[in-house]
Amino acid sequence: TKEEKETFFNYIKSVAKDAKEKYPDNFNKINHIIANAIAYEVYHDDFLQSLTNDFGETPKYLSSKMEELIKKIYNNDDYKIDFPHLAAPLATSEKSVWLKEAIKFVVGFNLKGVPPKDTFFQLNSMVGDQLTTINEKDVKSNQDAYILKYHPKFKDYTLDERIEKYYHIENLDKYRSQFYNETLEIKAKKHHRTRKDYLAWLMGATFATLGALYLMSKKIYEHIKPQLNHIYSSVKTRIVNTSQNIKNAILKFNTKTKSSIKKISEKVKKSIINIPHKIKVIKKHVQKIIKRTSKKIVQTIKKVKHFISHKIVKPVYNTLVQPIYNKVIKPVGNFINKNIIKPIGNIFNKLFGKR
């Protein structure tokens, strides 16, 4: 709308005014600041863009109203040109710190002899879109970026002036292809080639860079990502199910083991608890056995003693010992005592007795 055009141009003019005051006659700095002001809202958090471009701090004039407008321009196909997308390659085409310049050189390097800065510009615009996603809005925006960067009709203007001058051309859609082909013709002459030959050379070299290899790999990955996610999900499900089955088996085994251990433990515990009782019972039985055995032994001894006394000792004494004693030993003893011991004793008393 007319109001949106005024908002957009007032924004880039304000940014350009400050840049021109800070860096008078330094087109690189001025154009870099303006391009970043347009691309910032969409791309300042983008890894690849940040890797090759100095976005710096949030632009001074980037109001919430301007943020909303840039997002609409970027996302809504009712807007025929994607200005943040157009500004991104213009920003990275300007000189940054040495490390980012080195990255751009490596990413844009090719063996076909095309300057890395030219291939990198295509990687960040037309070829990059062809390797990812592209529509009519992107094609126009990429062609316009190339024209604003290289067409001599706009080389003496700063980027804000180039944008204003270019987009105020009547019937621009009619002249866009003409401007684009003229730009290619000019670039081709510098390399002593025809426009078609130069375009094939440029695009072929761009597709042969590390940057293109990365974008192709990314595109392939995005294409097979659903399949990879499906495979991952299936494998994950199987792993989870297997893990759960193993877990259940372990839990079941543990439960059985615990149950078995508990039963054994209970039995052992019961056995241990019953040991004193069993010992007591055993002791009682032993005592009974000892008592019975002792009683039998005593009875046996008594019987043996009674048998020996009455059946052996008394009969022997009565029938043999007593008669021998009374009839032999006692008379002999009395005789010896009377006729030998006493006479000898009397003799000794007489000889050795007291006087």
Side-chain angles (χ1 to χ4, degrees), residues 255-269:
T255 302
K256 287 185 176 180
T257 304
K258 286 180 180 179
S259 178
S260 300
I261 291 173
K262 187 176 180 180
K263 287 179 181 178
I264 294 170
S265 176
E266 288 294 331
K267 287 182 179 179
V268 171
K269 183 179 177 182

Side-chain angles (χ1 to χ4, degrees), residues 158-171:
T158 56
L159 182 57
D160 61 308
E161 294 167 340
R162 293 179 190 182
I163 290 173
E164 185 172 17
K165 186 177 180 65
Y166 180 73
Y167 287 103
H168 278 87
I169 294 174
E170 291 186 14
N171 299 320

Side-chain angles (χ1 to χ4, degrees), residues 168-186:
H168 278 87
I169 294 174
E170 291 186 14
N171 299 320
L172 178 59
D173 286 337
K174 179 181 177 181
Y175 294 104
R176 178 176 283 107
S177 295
Q178 178 185 329
F179 283 128
Y180 184 63
N181 288 330
E182 286 175 357
T183 308
L184 289 173
E185 289 279 1
I186 293 166

